[in-house]
Amino acid sequence: MAERDPLRVFVTVDTELWPLSGNWPRTPLPAGRKSIEREHDLYILGRTAGRSYGLPFILETLQAHELGATFFIESLHALAVGNESLTSTVALVRDAGQDVQLHVHTEWLGDIDAEGLPKLYGPALAGYEMAEQRAIVTSAHQALTAASGSAPRAFRAGSYGAGRETLDVLAEIGIAFDSSHNQAFSESPCRLAATDPLVQPARFGSVDEFPVSCFEDYANHLRHTQVCATSIAEMRWLLRAAWTAGWNSIVIVLHSSEFIHKERLTESGGTAKANMRLARRFEALCAFLAANRGWLDVATFGGLPVDRRVESAIQPATLRSAAWRTIGRTAEQALNRIEGRWA
């Protein structure tokens, strides 16, 4: 690799949990239900009959390779079911020396009865009026600040469902960085993608937007760079191609429960099984990042200097992968689905 500035790589973990309750969120949780211990075990810890393949596995793998990551922790749920899960999750991430930032899923609103918050749940933050967005984000911000002892500096909207008004709200409450834009979701709740498709970071007012990285895996189709959605061959290629093209950064996504088969789990039964194919893929990604520190700079949003912000420039073209990589990943996914049925 030639001498030049390294490519910044953000490994981001959407850290969230969902009630194992029939027809939720259309049907709210039963009155008085506050315990989500089973959901915490599944979606946060990834507890199986053997090892825990949620945050414990992710944190241990990062530590083994001396890598940092940003954990976007969903915090609105604390207003619906209490602070215990949120506090425990934040402590787990913080004790491992990793970066804690804010994530909000508005599906929890149907279970929250608080003055100023809309009662109607929705899949996307951008679907609410600006005053409602302000109340939602501020409430989640306060919950995370109370749990962590410090205010977050970065944000990601659930389902990538942010809009321009969302960024205005973030600026008002002092959040400098957003990573909600996902070009592959331009036909869904991601309102940023619908107006200004982004490939590299850009400034919107006083908020710097770091888009989730996407690439073209076949003609006129985008793939976002999520561990469960892209092969290790595709991720290695994308990192090399982005560096060669002189890009500023790559943003990779995974979820706290990425490595668990969840299809057969219910509120009353079922045992979580590890998705070892995906777990090994994450280990391989971390090994690659660690082995190539000279031209890759693994960064966190909490570590970005606030006095050196993004200089918006002309957006580069989306990178396009080769057909053989797409075919290889499709075959892997087929095997993964088969394995999941028998897990």
Side-chain angles (χ1 to χ4, degrees), residues 29-183:
L29 294 172
R33 181 185 171 188
K34 294 297 182 182
S35 174
I36 52 171
E37 183 177 355
R38 176 166 164 75
E39 287 86 350
H40 184 87
D41 282 351
L42 169 63
Y43 288 99
I44 303 300
L45 301 180
R47 186 166 287 161
T48 70
R51 185 178 179 183
S52 291
Y53 278 91
L55 289 193
F57 168 74
I58 294 169
L59 293 166
E60 289 166 11
T61 303
L62 291 168
Q63 182 180 34
H65 294 90
E66 299 181 337
L67 299 173
T70 292
F71 290 75
F72 286 107
I73 300 180
E74 205 295 312
S75 303
L76 197 62
H77 75 276
L79 282 73
V81 295
N83 297 323
E84 184 176 356
S85 177
L86 177 60
T87 302
S88 173
T89 301
V90 168
L92 189 62
V93 175
R94 277 284 171 85
D95 289 349
Q98 297 293 351
D99 184 32
V100 170
Q101 301 297 341
L102 182 62
H103 189 41
V104 171
H105 268 283
T106 54
E107 289 90 338
W108 285 99
L109 287 170
D111 292 292
I112 299 172
D113 186 12
E115 185 177 355
L117 287 177
K119 183 67 176 175
L120 183 66
Y121 79 88
L125 190 59
Y128 294 86
E129 298 293 331
M130 184 170 178
E132 293 176 321
Q133 291 191 46
R134 184 183 296 110
I136 293 166
V137 176
T138 299
S139 295
H141 181 281
Q142 291 171 345
L144 183 61
T145 300
S148 66
S150 61
R153 301 171 61 209
F155 177 81
R156 175 173 289 152
S159 303
Y160 311 107
R164 291 292 188 89
E165 290 183 336
T166 310
L167 300 187
D168 292 339
V169 168
L170 298 182
E172 288 178 11
I173 63 176
I175 289 181
F177 308 108
D178 182 68
S179 185
S180 299
H181 179 91
N182 187 332
Q183 192 176 349

Side-chain angles (χ1 to χ4, degrees), residues 213-218 221-225 229-231 234-235 237-238 318-321 326 329:
S213 296
C214 299
F215 61 93
E216 193 170 336
D217 57 348
Y218 56 87
H221 182 268
L222 293 176
R223 195 81 177 168
H224 69 291
T225 311
T230 52
S231 68
E234 287 172 316
M235 287 188 280
W237 159 79
L238 180 62
T318 302
L319 295 169
R320 183 172 183 177
S321 183
T326 304
R329 184 241 305 149

Side-chain angles (χ1 to χ4, degrees), residues 57 226-230 235 257-261 274-284 332-333 336 339:
F57 168 74
Q226 182 172 340
V227 172
C228 73
T230 52
M235 287 188 280
S257 60
E258 193 104 344
F259 311 124
I260 298 294
H261 289 293
N275 189 327
M276 293 307 301
R277 188 176 297 274
L278 294 183
R280 287 192 293 267
R281 185 183 295 176
F282 180 63
E283 290 175 327
E332 275 190 51
Q333 289 173 319
N336 203 39
E339 291 168 355

